[in-house]
Amino acid sequence: MDLDRLLGRIVDEVAPLRGAGSAADYIPALARVDPGRFGIAFADLEGRVHGAGEWEAPFSAQSISKVFTLALVLAGGGDESLWRRVGREPSGNAFNSLVQLEHERGIPRNPFINAGALTVTDELVSLAGDATGELLAFLRAESGNPDLRVDEEVAASEAAHGDRNLALTHFMASYGNMRNPVATVLDQYVRQCSIEMSCRDLARAGLFLAAHGVRRDGSELVTRRQAKRINAIMLTCGTYDAAGDFAYRVGVPGKSGVGGGILAIVPGRCAVAVWSPGLDERGNSVAGVAALDHFTTLTGWSVF
């Protein structure tokens, strides 16, 4: 299969969708990004990477970082502790919903909605202290890019407009579901979401999930069972309350972020990353989802 030609074809096929949707305007630093930009990268288990479009342009990872934070908590032995604090079911509500959290008495529905990810960050702070430093070290090693960094402008912008996340964290603390100070957890969470990565970086960093938990250097980050379970949660919960539609159209585990990126995993084969900042009403990249739909259709690679 000529992957360069395939990726080039996908770029052409999604061209009419570039610019559809709108950037995440509730984070001012993200609202300024041109929604018409697009990149795609493919990384296989041998470490080969192919890309098209703006596949080496850095963008804000946002909620895609939640996949890696979850993996680090599980790798650090937090499996049993974490799943007492957060569920594993699709939410069916907005990613920052307070209503569901109140109904379920401070236990988030899954680790990829904001409340759940804040709980995961709290767990990683307990395990590692500097949760963002731990995450950056991992991403730099797996992507092969030692220059990955937090975008301080995005972090400041997100922190200044993070009232809903503040409310979620305090609400969970009121139910005893926070172990560290709210301010510490929020700061670490915002900084993790503000890490800049390109499609190339993201595809390479996600390969351990395609390789059943094995890192770039051949060591095991998480067990095969844990990797299977992370992929399962990505499939059922990774694209907010559009997970069913994403599974229907794309057919592989995926995690999106409001920076316009999506990381998709084909277990046993590859990782694919796309980026296009124009979002639909549920917070997923319009052109990015379409590109992944084309990718799995043209290759025949799907979990179904």
Side-chain angles (χ1 to χ4, degrees):
M1 182 183 296
D2 187 335
L3 285 164
D4 292 317
R5 180 177 294 179
L6 172 70
L7 297 180
R9 177 179 171 183
I10 290 171
V11 170
D12 292 339
E13 289 186 346
V14 303
L17 294 174
R18 293 170 62 175
S22 57
D25 56 8
Y26 61 93
I27 302 174
L30 297 183
R32 295 193 292 270
V33 181
D34 177 3
R37 302 181 71 180
F38 179 85
I40 183 169
F42 164 97
D44 66 19
L45 295 183
E46 284 70 48
R48 294 183 292 256
V49 186
H50 299 260
E54 296 183 76
W55 66 297
E56 294 183 293
F59 60 90
S60 188
Q62 291 296 310
S63 287
I64 304 173
S65 65
K66 298 171 183 178
V67 172
F68 303 108
T69 307
L70 175 60
L72 290 173
V73 167
L74 300 184
D79 199 320
E80 183 177 344
S81 172
L82 179 67
W83 299 128
R84 289 195 297 266
R85 304 180 61 198
V86 61
R88 298 186 291 267
E89 296 293 334
S91 69
N93 288 314
F95 58 84
N96 58 359
S97 172
L98 281 160
V99 174
Q100 190 170 66
L101 191 61
E102 181 172 17
H103 179 70
E104 295 176 348
R105 302 182 65 81
I107 302 297
R109 183 65 68 90
N110 67 67
F112 293 153
I113 56 174
N114 286 15
L118 286 159
T119 307
V120 176
T121 294
D122 181 48
E123 192 79 20
L124 188 57
V125 169
S126 294
L127 288 169
D130 181 5
T132 304
E134 187 83 357
L135 177 60
L136 267 175
F138 172 78
L139 293 174
R140 287 167 176 164
E142 296 308 291
S143 69
N145 182 357
D147 296 323
L148 291 185
R149 64 180 185 88
V150 172
D151 184 325
E152 298 293 349
E153 181 187 1
V154 172
S157 182
E158 194 163 348
H161 296 82
D163 292 334
R164 182 65 66 95
N165 286 333
L166 181 63
L168 289 167
T169 313
H170 275 298
F171 194 85
M172 289 188 291
S174 76
Y175 278 100
N177 199 18
M178 278 287 122
R179 295 176 176 170
N180 295 284
V182 165
T184 299
V185 174
L186 278 169
D187 176 67
Q188 292 288 300
Y189 174 80
V190 166
R191 293 181 66 75
Q192 289 165 11
C193 288
S194 301
I195 291 172
E196 277 195 324
M197 302 181 74
S198 67
C199 291
R200 179 191 187 106
D201 298 328
L202 194 54
R204 294 185 74 179
L207 268 178
F208 77 97
L209 287 170
H212 309 299
V214 177
R215 295 186 62 168
R216 185 181 176 199
D217 63 4
S219 64
E220 183 182 82
L221 176 69
V222 292
T223 67
R224 190 182 186 98
R225 173 179 286 184
Q226 288 172 325
K228 175 190 72 175
R229 291 176 172 175
I230 295 171
N231 280 324
I233 298 170
M234 289 175 70
L235 182 67
T236 58
C237 308
T239 46
Y240 312 122
D241 54 336
D245 187 63
F246 185 84
Y248 175 79
R249 292 182 61 186
V250 179
V252 297
K255 183 70 195 83
S256 61
V258 296
I262 307 174
L263 171 65
I265 305 296
V266 184
R269 194 180 291 271
C270 67
V272 184
V274 293
W275 172 57
S276 187
L279 309 179
D280 63 22
E281 66 279 1
R282 291 171 172 173
N284 299 308
S285 170
V286 175
V289 173
L292 292 170
D293 184 359
H294 285 302
F295 179 84
T296 55
T297 299
L298 293 170
T299 59
W301 297 344
S302 167
V303 299
F304 302 110

